[in-house]
Amino acid sequence: MRADVERFLDWLRIERRYSPNTVQGYARSLVRLEAHAQALGLSRWEDLRGAQLQTWVARLHREGLAAASLAQLMSTCRSFFRHLAREGRIAVNPALGVRTPKLRRKLPQVLDVDEMSALLEFPADDAEAVHDRAMLELLYSSGLRVSEIVSLRWSDLDAANGLLRVTGKGAKTRIVPVGRLALEALDALRRQDHADDEDTILRGRHGRALSTSGVRTRLKRRARDQGVWKRVYPHLMRHSCASHLLESSGDLRAVQELLGHADIGTTQIYTHLDFQHLARVYDAAHPRAKRKPR
């Protein structure tokens, strides 16, 4: 059973080219699955039944495991058993009919336009500020994931046409636009660093590529210095970019392409944010909606 798990993880790394963090997530879930199978006294995956998985999910839920974690766990199990079926190791995927608790989807937090302006508008009067301005402008301009921005090289940027080649989840490549202010900030950074095409755009100490934790730390510090007291983190910049773009354009498909979502259902969460904005404007402005003063 362990050998089947290792072969599956190798397939994710080599064939699917998943990131190390993603593979580690799969591995953690499969450790739990193995422990469950061993507790049942099983020695072959083909002996595991859907009812046994359903009982396991119910027990984990009673023990307090969150619905999102259960959904992720069963998603991993389904992928693993689907792989075993392709390899001829099992005849039926036992996880297919297993239900998990309904997932309550939280709306992402965003900065409003004024808060974003307060965050981005600081003088680029020293080397660190030039770097941070480029980093923040690019995060907001192009809606990048933190894992995407740290891997960017100058060769990925087509400054003349305002385009950026981004490698996202599953090693999928997409082309995204870069706004004027972000391009100006990037030009200042490249001139400051005397960077070559194959240099990473974001660099930390000693010229090494900036880490994802480095991006988070610098973003948090810059937000504090700018007086933005919300918790500011890279994915908040991505959420804010998507929300502001959808609010202005109403083009859900374009936002999906920008963010690199495989499923438009993932992008549709931003329509709820847009409706919330509409409701606030309506309540504040419509003559028949204004609340009477108390």
Side-chain angles (χ1 to χ4, degrees), residues 39-55:
L40 293 171
L42 304 180
S43 59
R44 303 182 306 170
W45 290 117
E46 63 186 13
D47 294 330
L48 186 63
R49 299 290 177 260
Q52 293 168 319
L53 288 175
Q54 188 68 71
T55 301

Side-chain angles (χ1 to χ4, degrees), residues 15-261:
E15 299 293 329
R16 299 299 303 274
R17 299 175 64 188
Y18 280 8
S19 71
N21 286 342
T22 301
V23 174
Q24 287 173 13
Y26 275 85
R28 284 192 295 270
S29 293
L30 292 174
V31 165
R32 301 184 81 150
L33 177 64
E34 279 187 274
H36 177 60
Q38 290 168 3
L40 293 171
L42 304 180
S43 59
R44 303 182 306 170
W45 290 117
E46 63 186 13
D47 294 330
L48 186 63
R49 299 290 177 260
Q52 293 168 319
L53 288 175
Q54 188 68 71
T55 301
W56 181 46
V57 167
R59 176 171 59 79
L60 292 174
H61 185 50
R62 287 195 304 272
E63 292 173 356
L65 191 62
S69 298
L70 285 169
Q72 181 61 53
L73 178 62
M74 291 314 302
S75 175
T76 296
C77 291
R78 282 189 288 271
S79 297
F80 173 57
F81 290 126
R82 188 162 55 244
H83 179 73
L84 291 185
R86 281 197 300 266
E87 296 289 311
R89 301 284 296 160
I90 61 174
V92 178
N93 186 336
L96 282 181
V98 176
R99 298 185 303 276
T100 56
K102 189 172 182 180
L103 195 60
R104 291 183 59 192
R105 200 163 195 181
K106 294 182 180 179
L107 292 178
Q109 296 294 311
V110 298
L111 296 177
D112 63 32
V113 174
D114 290 337
E115 289 170 327
M116 186 61 73
S117 295
L119 175 61
L120 297 177
E121 291 174 4
F122 55 89
D125 50 9
D126 59 46
E128 187 174 274
V130 169
H131 182 281
D132 286 358
R133 169 70 70 78
M135 179 182 74
L136 269 66
E137 288 283 3
L138 188 53
L139 280 169
Y140 177 54
S141 170
S142 301
L144 303 179
R145 300 179 178 95
V146 65
S147 59
E148 295 169 345
I149 197 171
V150 296
S151 65
L152 289 175
R153 299 182 182 277
W154 287 107
S155 57
D156 295 318
L157 177 66
D158 177 359
N161 293 303
L163 297 173
L164 184 68
R165 183 176 64 248
V166 179
T167 302
K169 289 184 175 180
K172 293 179 181 177
T173 300
R174 67 186 189 279
I175 304 297
V176 299
V178 184
R180 176 181 58 84
L181 294 177
L183 287 171
E184 291 174 2
L186 287 165
D187 180 61
L189 178 61
R190 185 165 194 176
R191 285 187 283 107
Q192 171 183 277
D193 289 354
H194 306 289
D196 295 326
D197 278 353
E198 292 310 308
D199 289 335
T200 54
I201 292 178
L202 300 185
R203 290 193 277 180
R205 293 179 181 176
H206 312 299
R208 288 194 289 266
L210 192 64
S211 66
T212 56
S213 62
V215 173
R216 294 186 183 97
T217 299
R218 296 180 79 140
L219 180 53
K220 183 178 179 181
R221 183 171 63 241
R222 187 59 64 179
R224 182 191 62 214
D225 292 346
Q226 290 301 106
V228 178
W229 298 111
K230 282 184 177 177
R231 189 172 75 90
V232 178
Y233 49 95
H235 227 66
L236 181 72
M237 305 290 284
R238 178 172 162 89
H239 289 322
S240 300
C241 168
S243 178
H244 297 169
L245 184 59
L246 183 62
E247 188 176 304
S248 298
S249 70
D251 193 332
L252 188 63
R253 185 67 66 180
V255 176
Q256 179 192 8
E257 291 293 326
L258 177 72
L259 298 181
H261 287 160

